[in-house]
Amino acid sequence: MKKVLSLILAAALILCFAACSQQPAVEKPDNATVIKMGTNAAFPPYEFKEGEAFKGIDVDIATEIAKELGAELEVVDMEFDSIITSVQKGEVDFGMAGMTVTDERKLEVNFTSSYATGVQVVIVPEGSDIKSLDDLEGKKIGTQLGTTGDIYSKDDYGEENVVSYSKGADAIIALKGGDVDAVIIDNEPAKAFVAQNEGLEILETEYAIEDYAIAVKKENTDLLDKINAALEKLTADGTIDRIIANYISAE
Ligand code: GLN
C-alpha cells in the first residue's frame, strides 16, 4: 500500500513537473516586442509588395532599426495620406514611406535625422511639348494625394490643374491614358514607373530636392532618440549604403 501511495505521489509529481515546465511555453507564444511601421507599399524602390511580402529600402532599413531596438518589425500598409494621422494616434510606432521632411509636417510629428535624399521630377509621354517646368502652366498634372509633389504643384500651378490619385501607379495609368499631361513624383519611383511602362520619360529639370526621414509621434521622444541612435550606427557601419545600393544602382 505504501508502495502504491508513493508511486501515485511520484506520478503526481511528474505530472506537476510536466505541467509546470510547460507553462512558460503556453504563456509566451511570442513575447518579442513588435514595432509597427506605417507605410504605403506602392512606392518602389522604397516600399513595395512582392506577393504578400513587403520589400524595399525603407523596409530593410526599418528591419535593421527594429533589430537594434531588440524588436520585431511589423509593416502596416495604408494610404500615404493616412500615415501621419496614424502615427499621431499611436496606431503605428513610426511612419516610413520615402517621407519628405517639411515644416508643415514638423508641426504634426517629429522627424528623425534624414537617411536619404529625394527629388521631385516630372514624367511626361515621350515627345510631349512639355520640356520644362514653365511648360506645365495650364496643363493637367497628376500627383499622389498628400505628397509634396501634390502640395507644391497645387500651389504653383493651381488646384484646378492638379488631379490627385491615391497611388502613384494610378497617376501613371492616367498619364498613359491621356487623362493628365504630366505626373510629378519622387525620382526613384519615377524611374521604376518609367522602366515598367513604355513611352514615358522623365524631364531633366528637378522640381524640388528633399530629405527623407522617419516620422515619430511628438510625445514619443524616447523612440525618436532610439531610432536616431540606430540610424547613426547603421550609417557608420555602412549598412544603410549597402541597403540603398541593393535597390538603386549608382549612376
Ligand atoms: N516624398 C514624398 C512626400 O513625402 C512622397 C512620398 C510617398 O509618396 N511615399 O510627400
Side-chain angles (χ1 to χ4, degrees):
M1 187 62 195
K2 239 186 174 171
K3 217 175 187 180
V4 173
L5 244 181
S6 57
L7 263 175
I8 291 172
L9 252 177
L13 258 177
I14 287 167
L15 269 176
C16 173
F17 254 111
C20 296
S21 64
Q22 231 151 49
Q23 213 138 16
V26 175
E27 246 174 43
K28 88 170 220 323
D30 182 8
N31 73 356
T33 327
V34 171
I35 188 160
K36 288 188 189 173
M37 158 180 168
T39 197
N40 173 242
F43 197 70
Y46 292 94
E47 39 269 327
F48 53 95
K49 279 183 97 172
E50 237 174 53
E52 283 310 296
F54 293 104
K55 298 253 163 105
I57 294 171
D58 287 347
V59 177
D60 287 3
I61 294 178
T63 304
E64 293 299 326
I65 291 172
K67 265 190 222 161
E68 291 296 324
L69 269 55
E72 205 176 287
L73 183 73
E74 183 185 325
V75 178
V76 184
D77 196 12
M78 60 183 77
E79 300 293 336
F80 180 78
D81 206 28
S82 306
I83 298 173
I84 288 192
T85 319
S86 191
V87 168
Q88 286 177 312
K89 285 191 190 158
E91 289 164 358
V92 293
D93 297 295
F94 63 91
M96 191 173 190
M99 191 183 286
T100 303
V101 179
T102 69
D103 288 340
E104 290 73 20
R105 289 177 184 163
K106 275 195 209 163
L107 299 173
E108 302 175 319
V109 286
N110 281 335
F111 281 103
T112 63
S113 42
S114 176
Y115 62 90
T117 305
V119 184
Q120 294 297 314
V121 296
V122 183
I123 309 177
V124 292
E126 274 169 0
S128 160
D129 57 356
I130 301 170
K131 308 278 181 215
S132 71
L133 294 172
D134 289 342
D135 297 337
L136 285 170
E137 292 292 345
K139 300 281 191 195
K140 279 264 171 285
I141 302 167
T143 58
Q144 186 187 353
L145 183 68
T147 63
T148 48
D150 184 49
I151 297 161
Y152 302 158
S153 56
K154 281 176 178 159
D155 271 358
D156 291 344
Y157 302 101
E159 279 207 32
E160 67 283 7
N161 293 317
V162 179
V163 189
S164 317
Y165 298 88
S166 70
K167 289 195 188 82
D170 293 340
I172 297 296
I173 293 170
L175 180 63
K176 288 178 72 180
D179 297 336
V180 295
D181 303 306
V183 166
I184 296 184
I185 198 161
D186 302 50
N187 59 331
E188 289 304 331
K191 282 194 231 162
F193 290 137
V194 167
Q196 288 159 12
N197 293 275
E198 290 216 355
L200 300 179
E201 62 181 354
I202 301 171
L203 294 188
E204 295 267 331
T205 44
E206 295 173 338
Y207 183 46
I209 300 177
E210 322 183 304
D211 289 324
Y212 290 168
I214 301 170
V216 182
K217 189 176 175 168
K218 282 262 179 223
E219 296 74 21
N220 205 348
T221 50
D222 182 48
L223 181 64
L224 185 79
D225 294 345
K226 282 184 179 151
I227 296 181
N228 271 333
L231 278 175
E232 199 174 321
K233 176 170 180 262
L234 297 168
T235 304
D237 71 8
T239 304
I240 295 205
D241 278 347
R242 181 178 48 75
I243 290 173
I244 293 177
N246 270 344
Y247 291 93
I248 302 176
S249 52
E251 279 126 77

